[in-house]
Amino acid sequence: MYQYPKQILTMAQQVQSYIDAGMVITSRADVEKALKSVGFYRLRGYSFHLYDNASKKYVPGTKFEDILKLYQFDQELSALIFSMISKIEVALRVRLVEALLIHGEPLVLQDSSIFKEKKLYWQNMSTVASEIARSNDVFIKHNFDNHDGEVPVWAAVEVLSFGTLSKIIKNLKTGTGSSYSILAANYQYKSKKGNLVNPSQKMLASWIQGVSVLRNMCAHNSRIYNRTIHTTPEILDADKISPPPAHNGLYQILLAMKYLRSSDEEWTVFVDAFDKLIQNNISVVSLTAMNLPADWKVHLSV
């Protein structure tokens, strides 16, 4: 077996490693209590920006209680974002079904004629079939038992992943009166000239993909704060940072959430709650760590 170069540290050794690296600790008992519920490795993600690998020391004045506050902020942020994404996701499913049903066919997802690329259609249908097959929802079983296994679009869309929905939307045929044009009308934005414009398929799909990535991070309790997010939603010119950041972060995905918002009212409540969360933790939170510009609230407001 490969001999891993680092040794397992006991709880007491973990606390001592903080002290040896210069972290300010007022109560070893409190630190051990936090480590038992959160974990040494997870908390490290909230302090590595304060650690100098060359000297193996923390920035002077680094307090464990501040690292813990940052973790707790991230947990509250994750819950807040996940709640908002849930609203966005539900609205998208409703709007997609509404758009598809203009064809007057409950089994419209099986109609390849409404999709552009046929090979991609069959690849997507393979994923759709897999996601329906593994569902344990009562309404899916109802269709298995009572409708010869056929699942109407309004039921199928409820069990498809956010990512699969994005692929379906990206492959829809476009044009006046198409399902895509009807769906996109729900997500119009103002052009530079002040006109309302439907997002392109590429743009809308990029928003959904970005939000899907952040949703999964929240669902799996991954760190959001001070994190590069490897997806590139298309940002409207008015919301771009100049000079552009080297990597996307929370700000870019929050903008995608804004563009996909379920309603202006729900989004306004979310932004106010987000602002309040930041203000309550301003002593430990850095806007830069979330890619937020100084005027972030102007960009995120409706």
Side-chain angles (χ1 to χ4, degrees), residues 18 23-25 31 34-35 43 62-68:
Y18 282 144
M23 185 178 286
V24 178
I25 288 175
V31 176
L35 290 177
L43 278 179
T62 300
K63 300 176 182 177
F64 179 83
E65 62 190 55
D66 288 344
I67 303 305
L68 190 59

Side-chain angles (χ1 to χ4, degrees), residues 165-197:
L165 291 177
S166 175
K167 291 176 183 177
I168 289 172
I169 292 168
K170 198 172 182 180
N171 197 33
L172 286 171
K173 284 183 177 178
T174 57
T176 304
S178 66
S179 288
Y180 178 76
S181 67
I182 292 172
L183 173 65
N186 292 286
Y187 301 106
Q188 291 180 331
Y189 62 91
K190 283 188 178 180
S191 67
K192 289 182 179 179
K193 294 181 179 180
N195 300 320
L196 287 176
V197 180

Side-chain angles (χ1 to χ4, degrees), residues 131-152 155-156 158-159:
E131 293 183 1
I132 289 175
R134 71 167 178 252
S135 172
N136 292 317
D137 286 280
V138 173
F139 56 87
I140 295 296
K141 186 177 185 302
H142 168 79
N143 284 287
F144 286 171
D145 295 342
N146 298 283
H147 298 287
D148 205 25
E150 297 292 359
V151 181
E158 288 298 316
V159 300

Side-chain angles (χ1 to χ4, degrees), residues 11 29-40 43 64 68:
M11 199 69 68
D30 287 346
V31 176
E32 287 197 19
K33 182 180 178 181
L35 290 177
K36 284 179 181 178
S37 61
V38 180
F40 181 81
L43 278 179
F64 179 83
L68 190 59

Side-chain angles (χ1 to χ4, degrees), residues 13-169:
Q13 289 172 328
Q14 290 172 5
V15 177
Q16 189 59 49
S17 72
Y18 282 144
I19 295 171
D20 293 344
M23 185 178 286
V24 178
I25 288 175
T26 54
S27 168
R28 290 184 68 119
D30 287 346
V31 176
E32 287 197 19
K33 182 180 178 181
L35 290 177
K36 284 179 181 178
S37 61
V38 180
F40 181 81
Y41 184 74
R42 182 177 291 270
L43 278 179
R44 186 167 178 77
Y46 299 92
S47 65
F48 68 79
H49 61 291
L50 299 170
Y51 186 77
D52 181 5
N53 281 311
S55 65
K56 306 297 182 185
K57 295 287 185 180
Y58 285 101
V59 172
T62 300
K63 300 176 182 177
F64 179 83
E65 62 190 55
D66 288 344
I67 303 305
L68 190 59
K69 283 180 185 177
L70 203 50
Y71 166 75
Q72 291 164 342
F73 162 80
D74 200 42
Q75 290 290 290
E76 290 184 57
L77 176 60
S78 179
L80 180 64
I81 288 173
F82 191 78
S83 177
M84 187 64 229
I85 291 178
S86 295
K87 295 180 176 68
I88 290 170
E89 189 175 342
V90 168
L92 178 66
R93 293 177 193 278
V94 171
R95 292 164 185 176
L96 177 57
V97 170
E98 180 185 40
L100 288 170
L101 286 179
I102 64 161
H103 298 285
E105 173 53 66
L107 303 179
V108 65
L109 282 181
Q110 298 177 32
D111 183 0
S112 62
S113 70
I114 70 168
F115 295 98
K116 293 184 297 186
E117 296 183 31
K118 307 311 177 185
K119 182 177 180 179
L120 182 57
Y121 159 76
W122 283 109
Q123 289 173 341
N124 290 341
M125 281 305 293
S126 174
T127 305
V128 168
S130 176
E131 293 183 1
I132 289 175
R134 71 167 178 252
S135 172
N136 292 317
D137 286 280
V138 173
F139 56 87
I140 295 296
K141 186 177 185 302
H142 168 79
N143 284 287
F144 286 171
D145 295 342
N146 298 283
H147 298 287
D148 205 25
E150 297 292 359
V151 181
V153 62
W154 55 82
V157 162
E158 288 298 316
V159 300
L160 299 183
S161 69
F162 221 18
T164 300
L165 291 177
S166 175
K167 291 176 183 177
I168 289 172
I169 292 168

